[in-house]
Each structure stands twice: as C-alpha cells, then as structure tokens.
Amino acid sequence: MTKNAAEQSASHPLDLPATEIARGIREGRFSSESVVTESIRRARAVNATLNPFTVIREEQALETARAADRAAARGEATAPLHGVPFAAKDMTPTKGDLTTLGSWTQGNRIPDETALVVRRLQDAGGILMGKTTTPEFAYASFTHSPRWGITRNPWNPERTSGGSSGGSAVAVATGVVPFAEGTDMGGSVRIPAALSGTVGLKASIGRIPMTILPSVFDNISHFGPLARTVGDAVSFMEATCGPSDEDISSLPVGFVSHVARNGSLAGKRFALSVDLGYYQVQPEVERLVRQAAEELRRAGATVDEVPMQWTRAVNDEWFDLWCVFMSGFFGETIETYRDKMDPAVVSMIDRGLAMNATAYKRVELLRTRMWRDMAALFENYDALLCPTCAVTAPLVTECDDDYVATGPDGRFVGLDMTCPFNMLPQLPALSLPVGLASNGLPVGLQIVGRRFADENVLSMAAALEARLSVPRLPAP
C-alpha cells in the first residue's frame, strides 16, 4: 500500500498522530510490533538520561502488539487506537505492574486490577508500554521522589520536567508515545506540559471517572492527557470520557468528537489576564503569551485584556485543601515510614492533620467568590487566557518552596498559574505550547473554558495550534 501524506512527512510511523498510527496498522502499511518496538527503544534511550519511566513493559507490550497485528491481518481491527502505544503514571494502578506512587511506603505493590482510565484506553486498542515517574503521592511541581530520583527536562536536563506528571510529559515530548495519562490536583498535567513543551488538559471534573483515590467524593482531582498535539489529546478524551458507576461523581454525558475536532477562531471572544491579578510573570513568558493572543486576533477572534482581583489567598487556601487531601489519604504512612519519605510530604501531612475543620469548610467561600468572578466573565467571553506557568522550567535543584514568596512589589512569586482552576474543578483548562523563550525552554498558554466545555476548549486550542509554528524535539 502507498504511504499517505502524513506518513511521507514522518520519520517513523510512531511520529504520526495516534489515529493515523492506528489506521496504518489496520490497513497493513506498517505493524504495531514495529511501532511498539520503536517506542520501547526510545523509552530506554531517554530513560538513561532523563529518567521518565519506572517500568518499561517490553515483553507485555510487544506480545499485545503482535496480537494486534494478527487481528489486523484477519480484518478484525476496528478500534480507534488499534496498536497505538501509550504510557500511564505511577499513581495509576495497572494489573501486574509495579505501582509505587513514587514512594517507599507502597513496598513492591503489584496491583491485581487496572484503573478504569487505562482499561478504556486499552479497550480502544491502545497498548500500555510503560509507567511514568511522579513525586511522592504526586505532591509537587517538580518530579523527583525518594524512590525514583529526578526526572529531567528534555529541553535542558539541568531543568525540571515539571510535576507531578513529569514522567508522562517527558515520554510525550521525546516522542516515545503520542499521549500519556496524567493526574491533576493542582496543575499536575498542565505544569509539566508547559515546562516540557506538550499539550496538557485538566479535564473538567467528572468527564473522566476518577477511580484511583480512596474517596470518590474528592473534587480537586482530575485525569487528563499529556499529548504531542491537541488532536492526540482529543483521541485520549474520546477513549476515556463517559460515565461509570465506579465513580459516583462521573457525569452522565459522553464526548462529542466532532465539536472537539472541528472549530474556528473567527468570532470567538477571549479574555486575557497575564497575571490573574497577583502573579509576578517572567517577561519572556508574557511576551509569548501576548504573541499567541495576537495570533488569535489575526484569526478573527476578539481578545480583551481584563482585570482580575484575585490574590495569593487562592494559592494559600488551595494548599490547605491539598494538605488535608494528603493527610486524609496518606496520613497513616508517616508513623512507619516518616524517615523514608520526602520531608515536604511529611510536613504537608502534619499540617493537614492539624487543620481546623471549620477553616477547611470556609475555603468554599473563597471558591464561591472565584466562581462568581468567572461566571461574570463567561457572560461575555468564550474562554480565559493566561500563562500556564509564570516562569520557564526551574533548575532541578529548586523546589516548590522556592516559589511561594511575595516580592517587594507585592506580587506573588509563584511557579504555576494552574491551581486556581483546581479550585474551580468544573472548568476545563488546557496548556498549549506557544513557543520557546530566549533560554530555549517552552512556554505554555492556559485556556480555561466554561463548565464542562472540554470539547470547545480543545477545538479552540487546535485552531490556534494550527496557526503556530512551535519547535519539537527530534526523536532520540
């Protein structure tokens, strides 16, 4: 069979969009085995220097790939992701694979069940080729853990990949897989996406059932894709969205593919806030975000700069929620494992255990004020634009505590601009790469949409992505 245009421009079939990989396998133009073999080769190459993987499932993935090829040869291959490799985060249980949550507290746990989000990707034909690194219990914006060490940025190994889905971001940015699964409680998909140069979506709460926590009533935790392109993020969402009784909070709605895959910027209205009212933003980040806004205007959209009245109380009170999350779900670990845990995790658990229940409930008052601000904004605009992170990727020797100061000008010297939108979990938020700063590191634009309007956010991001020329890393 002859190659199509996409195949002719790709150096290897693995570099095609996920749907094109599957189509090529179904039509016999190349094999799933060859694609997965290349995925594993790249994984081993990048793991030696950047450390994004905890497990590379070579034997299992190749066996599944050969079965996919046999099905294609028999004409039985119909799944949309047939034979496509993907990766999943070490936070997410997968049957038969070491799953540690980045922590020694889990021992050498081998789950006997696979999480629903991964099962759905597999049911769509995807092949799990590896598990990716996370900081302990996914707590940080830097992916380093007592158990697995530091995961480094593929654009500059002296810099962090971001966190907590840092391993997944690196796997995608280096071409190992077209998309990988991540979790997002304060930006853990969007932060590494922005710092490592991939697309990252915090799906709105309930669109993808959240089944990996002890509680199904948590409301700051999300699954989402890290992907090479918006189109690959759409493929992830097509496979994983939809209700399930495994999560009482999952929404009884499916995913509307044609809305996500077809969109125009003409006539769209965007609100732009470079600082959300209180952040100190690096000039290079601001420059690239404003350039993206100009590109939206050239495409026929309206972009208005709007004032925001939020303060660093948003981050401080989100942190209170996060500490209670950590103490509620992992607090029992410190009695036995305190000395083998990340000291920052221990400190957060201690803080959560000491939290006053009334103060915890009152965080909802701030969240309510934030929502009323956003509801008023959405009366006139389709989405809010802001940087995903206020800075480009920090050094691996730094940590979150280096980014919680108030500067002499009263501005918050923070790293991410993502956790405000975990306070508003119904709002989808996507990070789109918009270019490289003068230091050669990626910058992400955050697009925050109306409640549950994931498809619209994806369509707007795809339309902007098509107008940008953002460099990608060569395959290892």
Side-chain angles (χ1 to χ4, degrees), residues 106-189:
Q106 304 301 298
N108 292 319
R109 182 167 72 102
I110 307 291
D112 55 12
E113 228 177 278
T114 295
L116 178 64
V117 64
V118 174
R119 296 201 314 268
R120 285 182 168 179
L121 290 166
Q122 292 173 322
D123 289 345
I127 297 175
L128 179 64
M129 57 69 56
K131 302 293 292 291
T132 59
T133 50
T134 176
E136 190 164 33
F137 306 140
Y139 88 93
S141 304
F142 295 70
T143 296
H144 52 69
S145 72
R147 183 147 190 175
W148 299 104
I150 295 169
T151 297
R152 298 175 180 274
N153 194 298
W155 296 89
N156 180 343
E158 297 304 311
R159 303 283 174 158
T160 181
S161 62
S164 65
S165 305
S168 287
V170 174
V172 170
T174 55
V176 175
V177 287
F179 58 72
E181 173 261 336
T183 62
D184 191 313
M185 289 83 168
S188 285
V189 165

Side-chain angles (χ1 to χ4, degrees), residues 175-440:
V176 175
V177 287
F179 58 72
E181 173 261 336
T183 62
D184 191 313
M185 289 83 168
S188 285
V189 165
R190 291 159 290 154
I191 295 166
L195 300 187
S196 297
T198 76
V199 174
L201 173 66
K202 174 188 79 75
S204 47
I205 197 88
R207 293 301 303 266
I208 303 172
M210 173 54 70
T211 64
I212 67 171
L213 300 176
S215 169
V216 293
F217 293 95
D218 178 76
N219 71 355
I220 64 169
S221 302
H222 309 250
F223 284 119
L226 294 107
R228 285 194 298 227
T229 65
V230 176
D232 286 332
V234 171
S235 294
F236 181 103
M237 294 291 286
E238 287 172 332
T240 59
C241 282
S244 169
D245 284 345
E246 292 185 37
D247 177 11
I248 192 173
S249 300
S250 61
L251 298 177
V253 295
F255 186 78
V256 187
S257 296
H258 72 88
V259 173
R261 290 194 180 275
N262 299 288
S264 169
L265 294 170
K268 296 294 183 185
R269 295 182 58 81
F270 295 93
L272 170 66
S273 176
V274 172
D275 63 3
L276 295 181
Y278 65 103
Y279 273 90
Q280 182 182 103
V281 178
Q282 283 182 350
E284 280 286 284
V285 172
E286 178 173 352
R287 177 179 66 83
L288 287 165
V289 165
R290 290 192 180 280
Q291 282 184 7
E294 283 302 314
E295 195 60 44
L296 289 167
R297 294 186 180 106
R298 284 191 285 271
T302 297
V303 182
D304 294 330
E305 196 146 1
V306 299
M308 299 285 285
Q309 305 302 321
W310 294 353
T311 71
R312 70 164 289 174
V314 171
N315 302 66
D316 293 340
E317 295 196 27
W318 169 83
F319 186 67
D320 285 339
L321 294 184
W322 189 219
C323 289
V324 172
F325 175 105
M326 297 293 283
S327 63
F329 296 158
F330 305 112
E332 76 285 350
T333 59
I334 60 174
E335 184 175 344
T336 303
Y337 292 98
R338 181 182 288 265
D339 293 341
K340 297 188 74 173
M341 294 171 67
D342 189 316
V345 172
V346 173
S347 176
M348 290 171 65
I349 289 173
D350 285 339
R351 179 183 171 90
L353 291 169
M355 183 77 176
N356 176 281
T358 300
Y360 176 79
K361 188 67 176 175
R362 283 179 178 157
V363 176
E364 292 176 16
L365 304 181
L366 172 62
R367 297 174 80 173
T368 299
R369 292 193 297 273
M370 293 173 68
W371 166 240
R372 288 174 178 158
D373 290 341
M374 292 300 294
L377 184 147
F378 287 133
E379 289 177 4
N380 297 303
Y381 298 100
D382 296 293
L384 170 68
L385 307 176
C386 67
T388 309
C389 291
V391 299
T392 55
L395 293 167
V396 296
T397 52
E398 296 183 279
C399 68
D400 286 314
D401 286 347
D402 295 313
Y403 292 89
V404 291
T406 297
D409 58 357
R411 295 240 169 234
F412 179 53
V413 186
L415 189 159
D416 70 88
M417 298 175 69
T418 55
C419 71
F421 303 104
N422 291 79
M423 298 280 265
L424 302 170
Q426 292 81 5
L427 306 185
L430 182 144
S431 182
L432 181 72
V434 291
L436 300 181
S438 58
N439 60 5

